[in-house]
Amino acid sequence: MAKTATPRQQARQRTMAEILRIGREQLATEGAAALSLRAVARELGVVSSAVYRYVASRDELLTMLLVEAYTELGDRVDAAVDAAPAVPFERFAALARAVREWALAEPARYGLLFGAPVPGYQAPAEQTTAPGIRVVMRLARIIQDAWAVQGADSAEDCGADAGEGLPPRLAADLDAIRSAYGLTAPAQLVARGMMVWSGLFGAVSFEVFGQYGPATFTDSAQFFEFVIRRLAEQAGIPESSG
């Protein structure tokens, strides 16, 4: 049975939740670079020193906001993929749509994760790497599943047995990725997966940050569906299972 939090612990949890809420609001209105614990304290109605009992620095608050956003995005993607039919294309499409929907609903938090670096801030890898790679790992598993279903034909299509040489350093990097994440798909397909990863988030970023321009697409969702299909082709994920 879970132990009930004491009133003091509950009060601390409420205060931390308020600090994070205010931090999210600052991201939306002021931007990550302007995040300030003094402003958080003013919003809370306490002196600055009181906030430091909960958050040691602006950088620690940024890290908390990063982890929270990565976790929320990962949860959203996992829920969408798990609810999709157990077909690689449908799961890939569900992942892509979930990323886009979350990003459009949370542009400031998406910008914190995938926008310009915050001057003077270095995210601590030991806290941010695991939540930060959840989406790309789910993508890698979908690509791996599609390759496993198609077998040798897929390997030949992506050049695994067609004599497509890779530069030695690139081959070593791809083999390291395969080893680190337990992937058995050929290196060329892993490279395509990396291109699909950057292509997906590039398309989402262009839309979130207005890079297409205000009148380029009358229905940006339709264009994104086109992107999904072309990226799936690139990753060796057939739209039809037939």
Side-chain angles (χ1 to χ4, degrees):
M1 174 181 262
K3 188 176 180 181
T4 303
T6 66
R8 183 174 182 178
Q9 291 170 331
Q10 292 174 2
R12 181 176 181 84
Q13 291 167 1
R14 288 193 296 270
T15 301
M16 282 302 308
E18 276 295 285
I19 289 172
L20 289 172
R21 178 189 64 77
I22 295 168
R24 290 192 297 270
E25 289 179 353
Q26 281 196 26
L27 286 178
T29 59
E30 306 296 333
L35 193 67
S36 164
L37 290 185
R38 289 183 178 275
V40 170
R42 284 197 301 271
E43 182 71 18
L44 278 174
V46 300
V47 296
S48 298
S49 58
V51 175
Y52 288 99
R53 294 201 294 267
Y54 299 90
V55 182
S57 64
R58 179 211 69 159
D59 285 4
E60 183 175 354
L61 179 55
L62 273 172
T63 299
M64 290 178 179
L65 292 168
L66 272 171
V67 171
E68 180 188 58
Y70 274 133
T71 300
E72 187 174 305
L73 174 58
D75 288 347
R76 185 74 63 86
V77 165
D78 281 346
V81 172
D82 290 343
V87 177
F89 176 80
E90 295 299 334
R91 293 201 155 186
F92 172 72
L95 180 148
R97 292 170 189 140
V99 170
R100 176 179 178 268
E101 288 166 7
W102 186 85
L104 291 175
E106 299 284 353
R109 297 168 76 199
Y110 179 86
L112 176 63
L113 301 184
F114 303 108
V118 180
Y121 173 72
Q122 181 66 47
E126 67 276 8
Q127 296 180 57
T128 59
T129 297
I133 65 173
R134 283 179 59 185
V135 173
V136 69
M137 285 308 304
R138 197 70 197 257
L139 172 62
R141 293 300 172 191
I142 292 170
I143 295 173
Q144 169 98 1
D145 289 347
W147 172 78
V149 169
Q150 296 174 85
D153 290 341
S154 176
E156 186 174 350
D157 288 345
C158 75
D161 298 314
E164 286 185 12
L166 290 170
R169 291 174 65 181
L170 175 58
D173 289 341
L174 293 169
D175 282 341
I177 293 169
R178 294 170 70 224
S179 176
Y181 299 111
L183 302 174
T184 57
Q188 288 88 347
L189 189 57
V190 174
R192 288 192 181 195
M194 299 294 284
M195 293 169 60
V196 169
W197 177 31
S198 61
L200 169 61
F201 279 89
V204 170
S205 293
F206 261 54
E207 187 170 359
V208 171
F209 302 136
Q211 296 300 310
Y212 289 126
T216 302
F217 297 114
T218 56
D219 189 336
S220 57
Q222 284 189 351
F223 175 69
F224 191 72
E225 290 299 311
F226 175 85
V227 170
I228 287 174
R229 283 165 172 76
R230 299 294 80 77
L231 290 177
E233 288 177 1
Q234 190 174 42
I237 302 173
E239 185 171 349
S240 172
S241 58

